[in-house]
Amino acid sequence: MMRDVITGIVWILLLMGFCFSEEETKFKIDGKVLELDESNFDSAISSFDYILVDFYAPWCGHCKRLAPQLDEAAPILAALKEPIVIAKIDADKYSRLASKHEIDAFPTLKIYMHGIPTEYFGPRKADLLVRYLKKFVAPDVSVLNSDAAITEFIEDAGTYFPIFIGFGLNDSIISNLALKYKKKAWFAVAKDFSEDVMVLYDFDKVPALVALQPTYNERSIFYGPFEEEFLEDFIKQNFLPLSVPINHDTLKLLKDDNRKIVLTLVEDETDEKSQKLIKLLKAAASANRDLVFAYVGIKQWEDFADTFEANKKTKLPKMLVWDGDVEYFTVIGSESIDEEDQGSQISRFLEGYREGRTEQKKISGPSFMGYINSLIGIRSVYIIVFMVAMLMLLRTLGKEDDVPLRVGTSDQSDHAQTTVTGPETDDRSSREKED
């Protein structure tokens, strides 16, 4: 009898201890960045469906710059319908845990979705980070059952990504493409909607796929055929606006597009004359979907314009066709555009290009390296430089090996070697992780 009582008391104490332990490891979603350590890391990962973890080191400069961005993003991500929690852990202090999670540089960001880690390579500015991460918790294809649901979906999507909504379409028709391009656009199908919505989004029959570019206030309509090949062409063509302003961000988008780029160079892309021309370029783009139309102002990016031999002394606007790399084509007789009847001049330019009345040229000028950096990313440049340096070093060592050691000399390499440990080594790795 006494033994049963003691056993019961032991079980009660164990249960109480378990409850206290659970209470101690219970986390709150309060919009703050959680500070983790070895004792609660696994518990935090299992407590949230989505948690972004910053593996940092206190001495790392990049980590210090990232921290306030995470602090700013945390309350916004915590307030989502599917919350994303941000946490951080001193991976330098808890090196054993960091090694277990394959952390070899600082800062490293990993998003754990239902406990499964994926390394995060997206933007690190607070607003861009929020926009990017919202796509992780969104369904591949959202199903909208009312006008109000359509409005709410578009408002929640924001302006960073293009939006595709299929009206009168089954979600299975675009599900494969929605999964393939989830990180580039929002996808939804509207099951129930009014005629007011049809008027608002400018389509007059169903089924229809509407592409929206919120940043540029543009939309395009696709009425079929709704086979994957044709759907994918339409979706890829509408990742970009009809006429793309050239800047560092849009160049990153252009590098993933295989179409030739009809590039128009103007003096100032914000002035009234240029804005009228841009409207004409959009009309031409709508009728020539096999080409990308883009523009840049010398005032906005002089170095970039100079690589195409365009400067303040050049007769502007100037049109050319660029392959996105080092070659471009001018159309003989249509090198520049006069102020009168510009629509007809654009048509003649395109006609001349398609008929082959062109002169092939190569980009020139020292500023082209700046473009290359923006196109492939500074990290890639560092890697290329590192590889070249290593090849030169190996070649030098190979030559030294060919020279026999003389009597009275010794190989000094062991004595000359500097051991780099701790913060210095890891700080170099941190640069490789930085955007």
Side-chain angles (χ1 to χ4, degrees), residues 147 150 154 165-169 190 192-212 219-223 226:
D147 290 5
I150 296 168
I154 291 173
I165 304 178
F167 291 90
L169 282 178
D192 193 11
F193 49 91
S194 68
E195 290 186 7
D196 291 339
V197 168
M198 297 178 68
V199 172
L200 179 63
Y201 295 109
D202 201 25
F203 64 99
D204 54 12
K205 61 181 180 179
V206 293
L209 180 61
V210 177
L212 304 174
R219 60 176 161 265
S220 300
I221 315 297
F222 181 73
Y223 291 114
F226 291 100

Side-chain angles (χ1 to χ4, degrees), residues 291-360:
L291 299 167
V292 177
F293 284 71
Y295 61 90
V296 66
I298 291 178
K299 182 178 179 180
Q300 282 70 32
W301 198 353
E302 186 174 358
D303 287 346
F304 180 85
D306 189 50
T307 61
F308 297 96
E309 300 177 347
N311 52 54
K312 294 177 181 178
K313 297 180 180 179
T314 305
K315 186 178 180 182
L316 299 173
K318 176 180 178 178
M319 290 188 74
L320 55 92
V321 178
W322 179 35
D323 70 352
D325 192 11
V326 297
E327 292 183 347
Y328 67 96
F329 301 86
T330 57
V331 174
I332 298 170
S334 297
E335 289 83 358
S336 60
I337 300 177
D338 297 325
E339 290 190 19
E340 298 298 325
D341 197 13
Q342 291 183 330
S344 297
Q345 293 179 72
I346 293 171
S347 297
R348 285 198 296 272
F349 174 89
L350 294 171
E351 183 180 338
Y353 168 70
R354 294 192 186 281
E355 292 179 355
R357 299 196 302 270
T358 60
E359 182 180 352
Q360 184 174 340

Side-chain angles (χ1 to χ4, degrees), residues 118-221:
T118 299
E119 190 158 356
Y120 174 87
F121 292 107
R124 298 188 179 188
K125 298 294 184 183
D127 57 338
L128 301 180
L129 183 143
V130 168
R131 293 170 184 169
Y132 193 92
L133 284 178
K134 283 169 70 176
K135 306 271 315 128
F136 281 88
V137 298
D140 297 339
V141 181
S142 298
V143 178
L144 313 174
N145 292 308
S146 67
D147 290 5
I150 296 168
T151 301
E152 183 180 1
F153 174 78
I154 291 173
E155 289 177 352
D156 288 345
T159 60
Y160 189 70
F161 295 98
I163 300 169
F164 295 90
I165 304 178
F167 291 90
L169 282 178
N170 191 295
D171 57 313
S172 62
I173 294 177
I174 60 172
S175 58
N176 289 338
L177 294 172
L179 177 62
K180 183 176 181 179
Y181 296 114
K182 181 172 183 176
K183 292 183 179 180
K184 291 188 174 184
W186 294 96
F187 294 88
V189 291
K191 298 289 188 180
D192 193 11
F193 49 91
S194 68
E195 290 186 7
D196 291 339
V197 168
M198 297 178 68
V199 172
L200 179 63
Y201 295 109
D202 201 25
F203 64 99
D204 54 12
K205 61 181 180 179
V206 293
L209 180 61
V210 177
L212 304 174
Q213 277 281 354
T215 302
Y216 303 94
N217 194 28
E218 293 178 3
R219 60 176 161 265
S220 300
I221 315 297

